[in-house]
Amino acid sequence: MDITAIAKNFTEFYYSQFALGRLNLAPLYRPHSMLTWEGKQFQGGANIVQHLNELPFEKVAHKISTFDAQPSSLDMSTLLISVTGLLRVDGDQELQFSQVFVLAKEGESFYVLNDMFRLNLG
Amino acid sequence: MDITAIAKNFTEFYYSQFALGRLNLAPLYRPHSMLTWEGKQFQGGANIVQHLNELPFEKVAHKISTFDAQPSSLDMSTLLISVTGLLRVDGDQELQFSQVFVLAKEGESFYVLNDMFRLNLG
């Protein structure tokens, strides 16, 4: 299993869909999936995507600076990804962010088990 | 299980020991534990702590800005922690960092299964 390739494909897909339409992200989550967004907690795909969709901006672009991936269980059933980067919403100035995902295996693909997002405001 | 309390205790312990003497961190890791430090990968407590100890600074202080915690397995056997903050080495200017840990349960305590560190240089 090429963990780095999976992580790269996932992050590219996630941020491209985030820009195209945040509701597109719903299939990535399951009922027990968790999001912590700037300290606020949400559980389940419907709640998670509703929150993302209600964020008060129209346009958003993420630029990935670094991403790291590691297997996170002895049987390779989960995968930890850490992303740092810059994002720009509605033409404002760029902001640094950190986002962490744990992907869990389901058949031949993965879903998002854990998702944590923080702006790095210093 | 109070996940937030465990995460808070862990991060306070980790950064205090990091400052006191990085070799003190060895008992936190197991032979299969992984560290990705600024993109470089290390496995096993001995290799991880050797790398941390060889980092070219004498004094270091971390200031935690945010930390988030979530259970990362259905049986609560692993715990995901994301930290953002500022660190200062040898009196230089403060730098933003992101660090991610997965703690794994072992009896009544936890060890570090995954560890990822990045400076956020923008």
Side-chain angles (χ1 to χ4, degrees), chain B residues 71-88:
Chain B
S72 183
S73 45
L74 302 182
D75 62 0
M76 307 292 268
S77 63
T78 56
L79 181 57
L80 174 64
I81 303 173
S82 174
V83 179
T84 71
L86 296 165
L87 65 82
R88 185 191 297 275

Side-chain angles (χ1 to χ4, degrees), chain A residues 80-92:
Chain A
L80 173 64
I81 303 173
S82 173
V83 180
T84 71
L86 296 165
L87 66 82
R88 186 192 295 276
V89 298
D90 293 337
D92 292 348

Side-chain angles (χ1 to χ4, degrees), chain A residues 4 32 34-36 38-39 41 65-74 78 80-82 84 86 96-98 100-102 111 113-122, chain B residues 4 32 34-36 38-39 41 65-74 78 80-82 84 86 96-98 100-102 111 113-122:
Chain A
T4 304
H32 56 281
M34 284 161 285
L35 167 67
T36 306
E38 290 287 278
Q41 297 189 39
S65 304
T66 69
F67 80 91
D68 297 306
Q70 291 179 1
S72 183
S73 45
L74 301 183
T78 56
L80 173 64
I81 303 173
S82 173
T84 71
L86 296 165
Q96 283 204 333
F97 75 94
S98 305
V100 181
F101 302 96
V102 172
Y111 66 91
L113 174 59
N114 302 101
D115 184 351
M116 293 175 168
F117 174 89
R118 283 282 181 180
L119 291 174
N120 303 138
L121 301 174
Chain B
T4 305
H32 56 280
M34 283 160 286
L35 167 68
T36 306
E38 290 287 278
Q41 297 190 38
S65 304
T66 70
F67 81 90
D68 298 306
Q70 292 179 0
S72 183
S73 45
L74 302 182
T78 56
L80 174 64
I81 303 173
S82 174
T84 71
L86 296 165
Q96 283 205 331
F97 74 93
S98 305
V100 181
F101 301 96
V102 172
Y111 67 90
L113 175 59
N114 302 101
D115 184 351
M116 293 176 169
F117 174 90
R118 282 283 182 181
L119 291 174
N120 304 138
L121 301 175

Side-chain angles (χ1 to χ4, degrees), chain A residues 2 40 44 50 58 63 69 71 88 94 99-100 107 118-119:
Chain A
D2 183 344
K40 286 186 212 153
Q50 184 185 342
E58 291 293 323
K63 201 159 67 183
R88 186 192 295 276
E94 285 185 319
Q99 193 158 9
V100 181
R118 283 282 181 180
L119 291 174

